Amino acid sequence: MRIIVADHPLVSHKLTVLRQEQTPQPTFRLLIEELMTLLAYEATRDVRVDPMEIQTPVAQTTGVRLSEPLPLIVPILRAGLGMLEGMVKLVPTAEVGFLGMARDEETLEPVTYAERLPDSLEGRQCFVLDPMLATGGSLAAAIEFLFDRGADDVTAICVLGTPEGVEKIKEVAGDRNVTLVLASLDEGLDENAFIVPGLGDAGDRLYGTA
Ligand code: PRP
């Protein structure tokens, strides 16, 4: 598995405001979207493209276009939805599928409550969005789900991750094609399995308490 931790002063700056508890909801939403666009630039470095002949006003030249099947973006509801616009801005022709997952706060096991994805993901590059990689249970289940449907390349984009979460993703990835992109690798988890120092509950800060 490949891990990329974004190393950019603008990422750190936006993350600092995002972490602060007094940051209001509209600012939080905007920052998640902006951060996502910065992370998307890193995460799509190996997006598949095909050569394409074009005519400029001056000469003929070779450019590129996204390969088919087009990449599939999969936000994990709820919190991943906050990252979708930032990703779509950069890759507007990608297709979007949805996975609804919630962590059972007693057992910490992920529960899948919704799924809207193509039946076959054969030959697809998939980009999974979820701001929080805590124990890693939710993202690991999402990655397994996509490989079971035939995906051959999965990139997960998270704002915050923990060493425990990264280990879990390494386990599920094995020798399959998985890339993990993070804005920050945080210290770890507290006794309630919240990321420390973290930013609180991303879903609640984006959308209010469910
Ligand atoms: C949060 C977060 C991840 C998951 C991370 O979602 O957005 O999906 O928990 O935890 P894990 O790595 O330990 O599995 P939550 O269950 O709070 O649902 P929400 O997005 O609807 O708020």
Side-chain angles (χ1 to χ4, degrees), residues 76-80 101-105 108 110 113 130-139 193 201-204:
I76 300 182
L77 310 181
R78 286 178 303 165
M101 291 185 142
R103 186 175 77 170
D104 181 316
E105 292 303 335
L108 301 182
Y113 60 85
D130 192 333
M132 314 298 274
L133 173 63
T135 65
S138 308
L139 188 58
D201 185 317
D204 287 359

Side-chain angles (χ1 to χ4, degrees), residues 30-132:
L30 191 67
L31 282 167
I32 285 268
E33 191 184 319
E34 289 177 358
L35 251 180
M36 179 61 230
T37 303
L38 294 173
L39 295 178
Y41 185 73
E42 281 296 338
T44 52
R45 197 166 283 279
D46 292 325
V47 72
R48 293 177 195 142
V49 289
D50 291 324
M52 170 188 184
E53 287 303 308
I54 57 161
Q55 177 74 47
T56 79
V58 180
Q60 236 199 345
T61 188
T62 308
V64 297
R65 66 175 151 220
L66 289 179
S67 301
E68 299 216 348
L70 289 167
L72 184 75
I73 302 171
V74 184
I76 300 182
L77 310 181
R78 286 178 303 165
L81 211 48
M83 300 167 79
L84 181 60
E85 273 310 303
M87 181 75 181
V88 164
K89 265 192 189 140
L90 212 67
V91 200
T93 53
E95 293 176 355
V96 182
F98 297 89
L99 265 180
M101 291 185 142
R103 186 175 77 170
D104 181 316
E105 292 303 335
E106 303 268 295
T107 63
L108 301 182
E109 289 298 316
V111 179
T112 305
Y113 60 85
E115 174 258 304
R116 184 82 171 159
L117 293 167
D119 288 339
S120 168
L121 298 177
E122 216 66 49
R124 286 268 195 171
Q125 270 185 308
C126 296
F127 293 87
V128 185
L129 317 181
D130 192 333
M132 314 298 274

